[in-house]
Amino acid sequence: MDFSAEAWTGPPEGAVGEWKLNVPEAAAAGPKKIDPDALMQYFEQLYETPNQVQEKFLYVLALFLVQKRRLKLEGSRSEDQTSYLQLSGTHGEGNFDIRDQNLEEAEIEALQQQLNTQFLEEWE
């Protein structure tokens, strides 16, 4: 049987034992995790309709998906002094050639933050 502290008048007759337990307050929800499959869909959309503005996002998103093991690096190639990452999806998605953006670490972090903000706003 369960009783609140206010309603507790003592153990009922014939009780074998009793104990008190404090139920902790519900913890605040931590940061929402971004679903790699949803990111993969976004990646494929960006890949199909690339533009110069989104090309950096596409590159950072590709790196993130490689890190999350949703894309795998198959190799790299060079064409006209431009390097490309050759990627494929781990669920059989096609081959993707992503131009290496040669970004500084700070710029990658800033783009990651923008992507996180964008996804969290869209999902709420």
Side-chain angles (χ1 to χ4, degrees):
M1 301 176 113
D2 234 358
F3 296 92
S4 69
E6 297 81 28
W8 181 248
T9 59
E13 189 176 312
V16 177
E18 69 177 277
W19 61 91
K20 289 183 179 180
L21 174 70
N22 290 325
V23 179
E25 294 292 324
K32 292 183 180 180
K33 294 187 178 187
I34 297 176
D35 178 28
D37 290 328
L39 285 177
M40 185 65 189
Q41 289 176 348
Y42 183 61
F43 172 82
E44 289 176 305
Q45 289 173 358
L46 283 179
Y47 187 79
E48 292 297 320
T49 57
N51 65 46
Q52 284 187 332
V53 174
Q54 294 176 328
E55 199 169 6
K56 289 182 180 182
F57 282 117
L58 186 64
Y59 177 75
V60 171
L61 190 52
L63 295 179
F64 182 77
L65 289 168
V66 167
Q67 182 184 29
K68 292 296 181 185
R69 295 192 169 111
R70 190 58 184 81
L71 282 175
K72 60 183 173 181
L73 181 62
E74 299 291 343
S76 62
R77 68 177 178 83
S78 292
E79 181 180 304
D80 299 327
Q81 298 180 358
T82 303
S83 297
Y84 293 86
L85 300 176
Q86 296 175 308
L87 307 164
S88 65
T90 57
H91 296 152
E93 295 90 355
N95 298 317
F96 305 102
D97 288 347
I98 305 298
R99 188 168 67 92
D100 189 344
Q101 298 293 310
N102 298 316
L103 302 175
E104 298 290 328
E105 188 68 29
E107 191 172 4
I108 290 174
E109 289 177 16
L111 288 167
Q112 283 177 331
Q113 187 59 40
Q114 287 177 355
L115 282 170
N116 286 342
T117 302
Q118 177 182 346
F119 278 108
L120 292 177
E121 286 174 0
E122 286 180 14
W123 289 348
E124 287 183 353

